[in-house]
Amino acid sequence: MNKKVVVPAVALIAVLAAGSLSYFAHIHALEKAAAAPTPPTVPIVATTVAQHDVPIYLTGVGTVIAYNTDVVRAQIQGQIISINFTEGQTVHAGDLLAQIDPRPYQALIDQYTGNLERDQAQLVNAQANLTRYTTLGEKGWATPQLLETQKAQVGELQAAIKADQALIDAAKVQLSFTRLTSPIDGVVGIRQIDVGNIISPSTANGLVVVTQLDPISLIFTLPETVLPQIQQQQQQTKTPLPVLAYSQDNAVKLDEGVLGLVNNEILQTTGSIQLKANFSNKSRRLWPGQLVNARLLVDTRHNGLTVPAGVVQQGSTGPYAYVVNPDNTVAIRQIKVAQISDGQALIDSGLHANEQVVVDGQYKLQPGAHVTMLHGKAAQEEAAQDALQAPIP
């Protein structure tokens, strides 16, 4: 009887002991899990890989040159009696720039005109005598020799009149040279001579330089390896290729023009080709001698993938980017960049449309790190902080 009671009691005690051990083990596991630290998240700024048509440019450095540049020189010698322009003034072809004293040349015209009138009067008298001698000769009252002499005198006076007229015309041309006018439309530079000075064709600097600014040209260079690409595009489009002119820091687009010339030889010393582009320059943002960056449009990549230039990082194996996975972790992706222009990088391979990539905060990341994407003002503050703390490459 006692044995039957003891056995169930022992079994009950064993069951209770096992349940207690299981309970305490579960509680310990929960406490251990709660005590385990959660992985920290890194704040980043991310963006989406965009897909759209992207222009492909070839970029070179060039110098702006004037379409026309003329030194206004005197063709005669004389004293300047007036200056009729202001330095830096816009002038048109034919505008009076300076006046040379015209009196000596006007006096020559008056002298030659007097000679012409004298010879014309003598010719009238000689012709009258010839008519009279001809009538007398017909009646036998004038010798043939007298008639021949009178005809010769008439011819001589006619030739003298032609010479007088030629001298007058030449003197008028000389008189016109006393007006120094602009040969082209353009802008005058610094005056090289003052009123009262003597100017002549041998004056070294002339009166002033007139520079045409509208239109204007740009000469720039590209590597000779891109010549087949340019030629192929010219053959396909059958139209002049567009050229954009930017400031040296690429911050300001100065003007848009077209390619006018690929030079007929390659520069052997540099292995480059020279190209000339023409611009309307209506706003006159291009100036002769200015150093600018030229972008030659040679193609358009349809449905190209672009990301901000800050996404592209440089590593020992080449460019890469941090891609944000769906679980908010990041992974390194090797990429191939076709070009970087206007703050946008064109991606040849390595990324896909609509993927999330890291723009700012890469220096704090490791592959597999958990991230928190910032937006709005927080993203701007993070980008500013990254600019200060990012290691110098």
Side-chain angles (χ1 to χ4, degrees):
M1 184 72 179
N2 292 334
K3 289 182 179 180
K4 292 180 179 179
V5 173
V6 170
V7 171
V10 171
L12 178 61
I13 292 172
V15 171
L16 292 174
S20 298
L21 290 174
S22 176
Y23 170 77
F24 284 114
H26 179 68
I27 293 298
H28 180 70
L30 292 176
E31 291 177 349
K32 185 176 181 181
T38 58
T41 60
V42 180
I44 56 127
V45 180
T47 189
T48 303
V49 179
Q51 188 174 30
H52 55 90
D53 292 347
V54 183
I56 305 297
Y57 292 107
L58 299 176
T59 303
V61 179
T63 303
V64 179
I65 62 171
Y67 206 75
N68 284 303
T69 300
D70 288 320
V71 180
V72 180
R73 300 182 185 275
Q75 300 186 63
I76 59 173
Q77 181 172 324
Q79 183 182 40
I80 293 181
I81 59 175
S82 69
I83 298 291
N84 301 85
F85 68 90
T86 303
E87 294 173 326
Q89 175 185 342
T90 298
V91 296
H92 300 285
D95 285 354
L96 180 64
L97 301 180
Q99 178 70 58
I100 297 175
D101 187 359
R103 293 175 298 175
Y105 301 97
Q106 184 61 54
L108 283 176
I109 293 177
D110 295 340
Q111 177 183 347
Y112 296 146
T113 301
N115 294 339
L116 174 63
E117 293 174 351
R118 179 197 62 198
D119 292 339
Q120 286 175 338
Q122 292 178 355
L123 176 61
V124 170
N125 183 59
Q127 287 175 334
N129 289 335
L130 178 60
T131 301
R132 190 163 45 249
Y133 293 158
T134 301
T135 302
L136 294 174
E138 292 174 352
K139 296 179 180 181
W141 298 340
T143 63
Q145 182 180 4
L146 182 60
L147 290 175
E148 295 296 331
T149 301
Q150 193 61 35
K151 288 180 180 179
Q153 185 177 7
V154 170
E156 180 181 352
L157 289 172
Q158 288 175 338
I161 288 173
K162 290 182 178 179
D164 293 338
Q165 187 61 54
L167 290 173
I168 292 173
D169 293 341
K172 286 182 178 179
V173 172
Q174 295 291 307
L175 179 64
S176 68
F177 290 158
T178 62
R179 290 173 49 88
L180 300 182
T181 60
S182 176
I184 58 173
D185 294 346
V187 175
V188 294
I190 299 174
R191 187 178 71 247
Q192 301 296 323
I193 196 168
D194 299 322
V195 174
N197 289 320
I198 301 297
I199 192 171
S200 69
S202 61
T203 302
N205 297 323
L207 171 68
V208 72
V209 176
V210 182
T211 302
Q212 185 175 0
L213 302 180
D214 177 16
I216 206 166
S217 299
L218 168 66
I219 293 180
F220 62 101
T221 58
L222 292 173
E224 63 176 310
T225 53
V226 303
L227 180 58
Q229 184 180 2
I230 296 173
Q231 293 173 330
Q232 180 181 0
Q233 190 66 15
Q234 286 178 322
Q235 293 173 358
Q236 290 177 352
T237 60
K238 304 297 183 181
T239 57
L241 302 182
V243 179
L244 307 181
Y246 278 78
S247 58
Q248 293 187 49
D249 57 2
N250 286 318
V252 180
K253 184 172 77 170
L254 302 175
D255 205 348
E256 297 183 11
V258 294
L259 183 65
L261 167 70
V262 178
N263 204 9
N264 56 5
E265 64 177 351
I266 295 175
L267 300 177
Q268 296 294 329
T269 55
T270 59
S272 60
I273 55 173
Q274 283 187 319
L275 303 98
K276 184 178 181 181
N278 299 318
F279 298 82
S280 61
N281 201 31
K282 296 294 184 182
S283 60
R284 293 190 177 178
R285 305 182 73 179
L286 295 174
W287 211 253
Q290 183 179 6
L291 192 66
V292 300
N293 292 326
R295 299 183 187 179
L296 174 64
L297 179 63
V298 292
D299 198 4
T300 299
R301 177 78 61 83
H302 298 290
N303 296 322
L305 301 179
T306 62
V307 295
V311 170
V312 180
Q313 304 293 303
Q314 295 295 331
S316 58
T317 58
Y320 66 91
Y322 277 101
V323 180
V324 181
N325 298 318
D327 60 354
N328 287 334
T329 60
V330 294
I332 287 181
R333 189 86 59 78
Q334 296 297 134
I335 60 176
K336 184 178 179 181
V337 180
Q339 71 170 19
I340 296 180
S341 177
D342 294 332
Q344 293 290 314
L346 176 62
I347 306 302
D348 272 344
S349 62
L351 297 177
H352 304 286
N354 300 321
E355 280 190 312
Q356 293 287 324
V357 287
V358 180
V359 180
D360 285 299
Q362 293 97 328
Y363 75 98
K364 297 177 291 186
L365 296 178
Q366 294 292 333
H370 288 76
V371 295
T372 300
M373 288 183 283
L374 303 178
H375 304 280
K377 185 177 181 180
Q380 296 176 1
E381 293 176 352
E382 179 69 16
Q385 184 178 3
D386 288 342
L388 296 175
Q389 296 183 1
I392 299 175

